[in-house]
Amino acid sequence: TSSAAYLGLQETHTDQAILVSGESGAGKTETVKILMSHLAMIASSDDSSHIKRIVESNPLLESFGNAQTVRNDNSSRFGKFIELELNSACRLVGSRCRTYLLEKSRVVGQDAGERNYHIFYQMLATSETLRAQIGLGSPSMHRDSMRYTRMGASKTDTIEGT
């Protein structure tokens, strides 16, 4: 658990690791969110602005790496290696995150009833002004006309929590 890892760090001053694994839909993504929030809280210093940025960065990563599958509307299709950096007083001072896209083929093709990565749909759902700024301003550009958003034929417009 996050408490045991933090206690181990305080007592031994050696790096600690938490591995979160499981089957599709088992709750790995939610577990990591809880772990990160808990560790950020117990290792917080007087300046908590960086803690807020660390915890709030997860939805952005999910946009680029999560997709709707037949089994799970918000399935992570990538792996993450997150390092929280603590100082000698065991206070959080920063973090590093490396992501590994596990399913590159999803970009160019999805199975029936599935969707591409959430980011493609989120970009198409933005305001007309922002769509024009990112090159998606034409009215002919919508989810059913774009190659990367129509292939899985899922008609789900929004995914809760994304």
Side-chain angles (χ1 to χ4, degrees):
T1 68
S2 52
S3 293
Y6 187 72
L7 184 61
L9 179 66
Q10 287 181 309
E11 290 177 354
T12 65
H13 298 286
T14 57
D15 293 345
Q16 304 290 307
I18 301 172
L19 176 65
V20 179
S21 65
E23 293 183 20
S24 178
K28 297 177 294 294
T29 300
E30 290 304 312
T31 298
V32 169
K33 288 179 190 177
I34 293 166
L35 285 168
M36 293 280 292
S37 295
H38 184 245
L39 283 168
M41 182 189 72
I42 62 177
S44 65
S45 60
D46 293 335
D47 176 19
S48 62
S49 63
H50 60 280
I51 297 164
K52 185 177 179 184
R53 287 193 309 267
I54 292 167
V55 173
E56 289 178 352
S57 69
N58 203 48
L60 179 62
L61 292 173
E62 288 182 7
S63 289
F64 284 94
N66 286 18
Q68 179 189 29
T69 65
V70 174
R71 293 181 62 177
N72 184 345
D73 282 350
N74 196 29
S75 181
S76 297
R77 313 315 296 161
F78 70 109
K80 288 184 279 192
F81 181 74
I82 302 169
E83 293 178 274
L84 298 179
E85 298 174 10
L86 286 80
N87 63 17
S88 60
C90 292
R91 294 292 169 226
L92 187 62
V93 294
S95 72
R96 280 184 278 212
C97 181
R98 291 186 213 130
T99 59
Y100 306 90
L101 194 55
L102 302 176
E103 202 176 52
K104 293 176 184 176
S105 61
R106 178 169 292 276
V107 174
V108 295
Q110 303 90 46
D111 290 335
E114 296 191 346
R115 290 183 3 149
N116 208 328
Y117 294 104
H118 295 326
I119 191 66
F120 293 111
Y121 304 91
Q122 291 169 332
M123 289 170 42
L124 290 169
T126 62
S127 68
E128 288 183 30
T129 305
L130 183 55
R131 285 181 54 163
Q133 291 174 346
I134 60 176
L136 297 172
S138 170
S140 67
M141 293 182 167
H142 53 84
R143 63 168 284 158
D144 292 328
S145 69
M146 306 287 287
R147 181 183 194 291
Y148 296 124
T149 54
R150 74 169 186 260
M151 288 183 291
S154 169
K155 294 301 176 195
T156 304
D157 284 324
T158 59
I159 300 292
E160 186 178 332
T162 63

